[in-house]
Amino acid sequence: AQSVTQLDSQVPVFEEAPVELRCNYSSSVSVYLFWYVQYPNQGLQLLLKYLSGSTLVKGINGFEAEFNKSQTSFHLRKPSVHISDTAEYFCAVSEANTGFQKLVFGTGTRLLVSP
Amino acid sequence: NAGVTQTPKFQVLKTGQSMTLQCAQDMNHEYMSWYRQDPGMGLRLIHYSVGAGITDQGEVPNGYNVSRSTTEDFPLRLLSAAPSQTSVYFCASRLSRGLTYNEQFFGPGTRLTVL
């Protein structure tokens, strides 16, 4: 069964600094990978997704992520963060053997951007 | 269109009470699902439906019932609320259950407290 690990529960960073949020997954079959963002008291919004093809995917708000099959990772990066990026970020995976029907989420990483 | 809507936004229950969390979507989506979000645990799938009249269990189904009599609505029922069901509940939907990717949209959430 698939699982997702987000090792960092909280990442503090200064405004305009780069950031990387780590995500590792466990699966033995083909996967789709996702990053979602949740702003305070809101629902989840899709940041970016990897389905197939290029391993470097770009999303909204200047975020990008790289799929590394050998390391089973899908880390999220942004070269320069803004205060408005303060939010919780969730990595998620769905597997081919469930027909990609079920999304399994990681425990989330809270990004705290300070001036 | 309104997307995915959830009511109520907030609810306080006493142990043993029953209630129904409402979820509706106006996008003619086949697939609908319910998640609960707890601190440090990310989102966990409770139940899902791949179409009207078809439901199945997710990761944490105990204590919850669902039905899908129409394409638009997917209510979540708590028959006898317990403090362990204190959580934020999210409903989500996407166009179809097939292997072709389509984005999953989330509702704004219902914050439930069971005393």
Side-chain angles (χ1 to χ4, degrees), chain A residues 32 34 36 38 41-46 49 51 88 90 95-96 98-108, chain B residues 31 35 37 40-45 48 50 57-58 90 94 97-101 103-104 106-109 111:
Chain A
Y32 289 167
F34 307 86
Y36 285 85
Q38 184 181 31
N41 299 313
Q42 295 187 25
L44 275 72
Q45 179 182 358
L46 182 66
K49 62 187 181 289
L51 306 181
E88 189 145 22
F90 293 94
E95 275 186 331
T98 65
F100 301 108
Q101 290 188 43
K102 296 182 182 178
L103 267 180
V104 175
F105 286 86
T107 53
Chain B
Y31 182 93
Y35 295 85
Q37 183 182 23
M41 303 192 75
L43 277 78
R44 293 179 292 170
L45 182 65
Y48 66 98
V50 297
Q57 296 181 349
F90 288 100
R94 61 184 173 89
R97 55 179 165 158
L99 292 182
T100 302
Y101 169 76
E103 184 177 344
Q104 183 155 245
F106 286 82
R111 188 174 296 272

Side-chain angles (χ1 to χ4, degrees), chain A residues 1 16-17 31 33-34 36 45 49 64 67 85 95 103 112:
Chain A
E16 297 183 6
V31 294
L33 294 159
F34 307 86
Y36 285 85
Q45 179 182 358
K49 62 187 181 289
E64 63 181 31
F67 170 53
D85 292 322
E95 275 186 331
L103 267 180
L112 298 170

Side-chain angles (χ1 to χ4, degrees), chain B residues 48-59:
Chain B
Y48 66 98
S49 168
V50 297
I54 308 170
T55 64
D56 205 350
Q57 296 181 349
E59 182 184 355

